[in-house]
Amino acid sequence: MKLKALNGFKDILPGEVELWQHVETTARGVFTRFDFSEIRLPVLESTELFARSIGETTDIVEKEMYTFVDKKITMRPEATASLLRAYIEHGLYVQRPVQRLFTIGPMFRHERPQKGRLRQFHQMDVEVLGSHSPMVDAELMAMGSMLLQELGLTVSLEINSLGCPQCRPGFRTELLNFLAERMEHLCDDCKRRSATNPLRVLDCKNSGCRHQVLTAPSILDHLCSDCADHFAAVREGMERLQVPYTLNRFMVRGLDYYTRTTFEFITTDLGAQAAVGAGGRYDGLIEQLGGPKDTPGIGFAMGMERLVLLLQQKQEGQDIEVYTPQLFIIALGQEAMQACHLLAHALRSRGLRVAMDLEGRSLKSQMKQADKSGANWVLIVGDNELRDGQGVLRNMQTQDQRQVALEAEALAGMVRLPMQSGIADDRSIDR
Ligand code: ATP
Ligand code: MG
């Protein structure tokens, strides 16, 4: 039997991983500038945590979770629930009235794998806990936009408000009436959902349902005055920070906990998988999970697979630094190998990236490896040179080379020099 990775699970190999590191480094930089601290969370949580937060009748909880049924534990399908669990469990609200936290890692959903849609995927997730301020909503969206911009991506931002428990019931009734008239045109899932969770129908991916809801009523026409004021202030904040956005009156999110501001970062470059990031407010969720009363929250998650795909498509990030060795040591003969083994160790302990072939291959084969490795410098040491405590150091860019002493400190200094400088002495070696 040929062993392969599971369907929807993917290895990220050297060559691609540099792009992932670039996305992560850029994100950490942006998040830190906005005063966020990192939190690392477990991958497994109690099933109940997700059922209670995301909602029993959402796609995620109904059909996408990886659950160990007998143990009542689930591989996290998203990060917000886990992050709030940690926030409550450790009383992080005591340390700081408004917490700004981010986390990066794998999430698991049993979906049909396609381009940009995996079963193990990765999110960068940011949350602000304990603030009612609409300025926070605007700032979060501005931060997401800044990150995408710094990555070299152009995506559009769509925003909406989902109201609150005051105003949503009225909207729900009107939506129910609207759906009742179109029931026979809805997919089976939506027929069932419209009774329990009609807002979900607005989020259905089925093209028939999408067509039906084009004329659905909008929650924006049903906001209570507090929610309307909040949303107006959010939009004002967006103008102040000069973040372009469009209003999407029908956007709902696939998770039940959202209230008020919701938003998605959208691209058309990936075909059907349009959202690269999404989030919103969840003002009642912390209390609902057993946290302190009246503690609002807002956050978003960006899908890293989709960001990386976009970067690859746009050929962005071509100039990312790939860690090639600074020095490749070619040792010829048993004694030279042993001496160079120690020399490489000494250079590495001085902070240099050093590569060396330990298989005793021929000079020709090692030269090939050195070329391929992208090393700036190559040091060639044969048993004869070793007797004089010498080697030949070659600058791979200029092809200049010279005799050098096999002394770690001095060598480290030479290898650290900018490539163009130094090395005038041009003694060639016998090949
Ligand atoms: P979609 O509408 O694409 O299914 P979603 O609404 O389920 O997305 P969220 O739960 O809001 O997505 O997650 C936020 C982001 O995480 C998405 O915008 C997307 O970039 C990414 N994401 C979600 N599910 C997957 C997946 N299965 N594979 C890869 N990325 C994903
Ligand atoms: Mg989804």
Side-chain angles (χ1 to χ4, degrees), residues 246-373:
T246 52
L247 196 62
N248 177 350
R249 303 164 59 83
F250 300 107
M251 186 209 303
V252 293
R253 304 275 313 111
L255 305 93
D256 282 349
Y257 52 60
Y258 286 117
T259 55
R260 294 194 166 173
T261 320
T262 49
F263 52 96
E264 286 189 348
F265 294 97
I266 311 267
T267 168
T268 48
D269 297 348
L270 293 177
Q273 273 68 58
V276 293
R281 261 196 185 274
Y282 43 83
D283 288 346
L285 184 57
I286 292 174
E287 185 174 339
Q288 188 192 315
L289 291 176
K293 279 206 164 23
D294 191 31
T295 310
I298 178 169
F300 70 77
M302 286 205 181
M304 297 188 66
E305 276 72 12
R306 294 184 197 173
L307 292 180
V308 168
L309 269 174
L310 279 172
L311 290 176
Q312 286 169 334
Q313 275 180 15
K314 299 192 82 176
Q315 312 252 311
E316 283 288 343
Q318 300 286 316
D319 48 356
I320 295 169
E321 185 172 5
V322 178
Y323 287 105
T324 52
Q326 290 161 293
L327 175 69
F328 193 106
I329 301 182
I330 297 179
L332 302 163
Q334 191 60 26
E335 272 171 56
M337 269 180 70
Q338 284 172 3
C340 288
H341 199 201
L342 174 62
L343 180 64
H345 194 68
L347 290 168
R348 286 166 176 159
S349 78
R350 284 171 169 76
L352 291 173
R353 298 189 302 276
V354 179
M356 184 181 161
D357 174 292
L358 301 175
E359 316 308 317
R361 294 201 170 86
S362 70
L363 173 63
K364 195 170 157 206
S365 140
Q366 291 200 49
M367 261 330 272
K368 260 198 207 145
Q369 286 179 62
D371 254 340
K372 214 173 147 197
S373 76

Side-chain angles (χ1 to χ4, degrees), residues 134-146 156-160 230-247 261-265 298:
M135 286 161 113
V136 167
D137 306 34
E139 190 176 276
L140 259 188
M141 290 187 268
M143 179 172 81
S145 300
M146 191 183 286
S156 63
L157 171 60
E158 295 188 356
I159 80 172
N160 193 18
H230 183 93
F231 197 49
V234 172
R235 297 182 65 177
E236 217 179 283
M238 299 294 276
E239 254 118 65
R240 188 180 319 116
L241 303 182
Q242 296 178 0
V243 187
Y245 69 90
T246 52
L247 196 62
T261 320
T262 49
F263 52 96
E264 286 189 348
F265 294 97
I298 178 169

Side-chain angles (χ1 to χ4, degrees), residues 76-307:
R76 62 177 182 192
E78 57 115 41
T80 306
S82 313
L83 194 142
L84 296 192
R85 195 263 313 132
Y87 171 79
I88 297 166
E89 182 174 336
H90 303 288
L92 298 183
Y93 43 89
V94 181
Q95 297 174 13
R96 224 185 143 178
V98 177
Q99 280 283 2
R100 293 171 167 246
L101 299 167
F102 78 89
T103 193
I104 301 178
M107 309 294 154
F108 304 84
R109 294 185 197 174
H110 192 271
E111 309 194 62
R112 200 160 61 80
Q114 336 163 19
K115 195 172 181 193
R117 188 178 294 288
L118 283 113
R119 291 179 171 173
Q120 174 176 335
F121 61 102
H122 299 77
Q123 287 185 338
M124 305 187 292
D125 183 77
V126 301
E127 313 285 348
V128 179
L129 310 173
S131 173
H132 283 288
S133 171
M135 286 161 113
V136 167
D137 306 34
E139 190 176 276
L140 259 188
M141 290 187 268
M143 179 172 81
S145 300
M146 191 183 286
L147 170 57
L148 294 168
Q149 199 183 343
E150 291 192 12
L151 287 171
L153 300 175
T154 35
V155 295
S156 63
L157 171 60
E158 295 188 356
I159 80 172
N160 193 18
S161 174
L162 289 182
C164 69
Q166 303 303 315
C167 45
R168 213 179 293 165
F171 168 67
R172 191 173 182 270
T173 311
E174 187 167 323
L175 183 62
L176 277 174
N177 293 337
F178 172 87
L179 294 174
E181 287 165 24
R182 289 157 183 84
M183 200 56 79
E184 76 266 34
H185 303 297
L186 300 179
C187 73
D188 287 345
D189 273 346
C190 284
K191 282 192 182 112
R192 185 174 44 80
R193 274 188 203 127
S194 38
T196 50
N197 198 346
L199 264 75
R200 291 272 65 79
V201 179
L202 297 176
D203 189 44
C204 183
K205 298 277 187 318
N206 184 300
S207 62
C209 300
R210 289 191 94 106
H211 183 72
Q212 288 303 317
V213 301
L214 282 177
T215 51
S218 164
I219 176 90
L220 284 186
D221 301 319
H222 294 78
L223 296 183
C224 62
S225 64
D226 282 352
C227 285
D229 289 350
H230 183 93
F231 197 49
V234 172
R235 297 182 65 177
E236 217 179 283
M238 299 294 276
E239 254 118 65
R240 188 180 319 116
L241 303 182
Q242 296 178 0
V243 187
Y245 69 90
T246 52
L247 196 62
N248 177 350
R249 303 164 59 83
F250 300 107
M251 186 209 303
V252 293
R253 304 275 313 111
L255 305 93
D256 282 349
Y257 52 60
Y258 286 117
T259 55
R260 294 194 166 173
T261 320
T262 49
F263 52 96
E264 286 189 348
F265 294 97
I266 311 267
T267 168
T268 48
D269 297 348
L270 293 177
Q273 273 68 58
V276 293
R281 261 196 185 274
Y282 43 83
D283 288 346
L285 184 57
I286 292 174
E287 185 174 339
Q288 188 192 315
L289 291 176
K293 279 206 164 23
D294 191 31
T295 310
I298 178 169
F300 70 77
M302 286 205 181
M304 297 188 66
E305 276 72 12
R306 294 184 197 173
L307 292 180

